């Protein structure tokens, strides 16, 4: 699939009232033909927009990308919002041109540990398992928003009956001062100790926001799109990595 496909954008309200952004190549694909990515934002409440540049870049590789809002300040820490978005994405992917069997669960920061939590606790999603997980610039020693259990606790405790392994790809900037790349190394070591297929892609010089193609605006207190070519190159690297996790070989 060529890079830089024209990308169509759609904004939809899910049954739970939360918004979800939908990115897909144009012209619209036939049902069930595109690998699907559900991409969760970080801890900032309802910040799906900060992932817009990255989501559009991923879709440009020929994937269906869905980015929902969720609120970390909800009484349950966002669990219901995250699981609702998964249910919506799984149920609607086919009608949007997505392939439910090539479904990658991805996230940035707190969204990444939430995604990894479901890989270790498929019962939280009715036994469903993604084709792959991509974790971008996260730490895994705090309770996952989807399960309430730190991912590393699940792995280091080595409980009986760990689920069948899911391929995991980690992406982390080497200049991330908010969540250092050592956290991803820590998870990689724990996964490989349990014989899970896992790899870590480090982005030289990228910070926490840069790994997903944005720059942090301290005045606004949020991440913003940027024209900085180094940041955009970092985001393109992340997008290619997500596409590869979905089985697409970017040109």
């Amino acid at each position: 699939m060529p890079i830089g496909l024209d990308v169509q954008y759609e904004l939809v309200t899910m049954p739970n009232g939360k918004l979800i952004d939908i990115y897909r190549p144009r012209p619209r694909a036939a049902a069930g033909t595109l690998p699907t990515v559900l991409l969760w934002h970080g801890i900032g409440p309802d910040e799906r927009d900060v992932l817009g540049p990255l989501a559009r870049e991923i879709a440009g590789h020929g994937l269906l990308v869905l980015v929902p809002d969720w609120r970390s300040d909800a009484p349950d820490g966002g669990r219901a919002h995250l699981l609702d978005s998964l249910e919506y994405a799984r149920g609607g992917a086919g009608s949007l041109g997505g392939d439910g069997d090539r479904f990658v669960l991805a996230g940035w920061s707190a969204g990444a540990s939430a995604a990894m939590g479901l890989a270790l606790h498929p019962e939280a999603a009715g036994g469903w398992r993604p084709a792959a997980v991509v974790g971008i610039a996260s730490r895994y020693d705090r309770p996952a928003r989807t399960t309430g259990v730190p991912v590393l606790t699940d792995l280091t405790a080595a409980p009986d009956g760990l689920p069948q392994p899911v391929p995991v790809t980690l992406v982390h900037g080497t200049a991330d001062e908010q969540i250092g790349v050592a956290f991803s190394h820590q998870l990689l070591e724990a996964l490989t100790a349990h014989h899970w297929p896992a790899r870590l892609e480090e982005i030289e010089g990228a910070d926490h926001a840069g790994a997903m193609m944005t720059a942090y605006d301290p005045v606004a207190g949020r991440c913003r799109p940027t024209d900085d070519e180094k940041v955009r190159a970092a985001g393109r690297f992340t997008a290619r990595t997500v596409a590869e996790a979905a089985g697409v070989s970017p040109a």
Side-chain angles (χ1 to χ4, degrees), residues 137-138 170-174 176 179-181 183-184 200-203 211:
S138 189
L170 305 174
V171 183
H172 217 125
T174 61
D176 191 334
I179 299 178
V181 69
F183 286 106
S184 284
L200 169 59
E201 298 287 352
E202 297 186 29
I203 309 176

Side-chain angles (χ1 to χ4, degrees), residues 140-141 152 155 170 181-191:
Y140 303 91
D141 59 342
L152 287 172
L155 290 167
L170 305 174
V181 69
F183 286 106
S184 284
H185 279 282
Q186 189 178 23
L187 178 60
L188 179 66
E189 292 174 6
L191 288 170

Side-chain angles (χ1 to χ4, degrees), residues 85-155:
S85 71
L86 176 60
E87 181 179 2
Y88 178 86
R90 290 178 60 202
S95 64
L96 295 169
D99 183 347
D101 292 328
R102 292 187 292 166
F103 193 114
V104 173
L105 189 56
W108 170 70
S109 200
S113 58
M116 192 64 227
L118 284 189
L120 291 166
H121 288 278
E123 72 278 5
W128 174 84
R129 299 169 69 249
V133 170
V134 179
I136 306 165
S138 189
R139 60 187 299 172
Y140 303 91
D141 59 342
R142 294 175 176 173
R145 297 283 170 161
T146 46
T147 66
V149 181
V151 169
L152 287 172
T153 296
D154 284 324
L155 290 167

Side-chain angles (χ1 to χ4, degrees), residues 3-111:
I3 293 176
L5 293 175
D6 186 20
V7 173
Q8 175 184 353
Y9 167 76
E10 182 179 358
L11 176 62
V12 173
T13 301
M14 294 182 288
N16 67 353
K18 307 305 290 181
L19 298 175
I20 186 167
D21 292 331
I22 300 170
Y23 301 84
R24 58 191 169 207
R26 193 194 310 267
R28 183 165 174 169
T33 60
L34 298 175
T36 301
V37 177
L38 178 62
L39 181 60
W40 285 335
H41 65 74
I43 202 167
D46 291 342
E47 282 196 337
R48 75 186 194 287
D49 59 297
V50 304
L51 290 175
L54 177 61
R56 186 174 294 276
E57 189 73 19
I58 297 169
H61 288 288
L63 293 85
L64 170 67
V65 185
L66 300 98
V67 188
D69 271 337
W70 66 279
R71 295 194 67 91
S72 61
D73 58 357
D76 65 355
R79 181 177 185 273
H81 293 156
L82 291 163
L83 294 179
D84 284 350
S85 71
L86 176 60
E87 181 179 2
Y88 178 86
R90 290 178 60 202
S95 64
L96 295 169
D99 183 347
D101 292 328
R102 292 187 292 166
F103 193 114
V104 173
L105 189 56
W108 170 70
S109 200

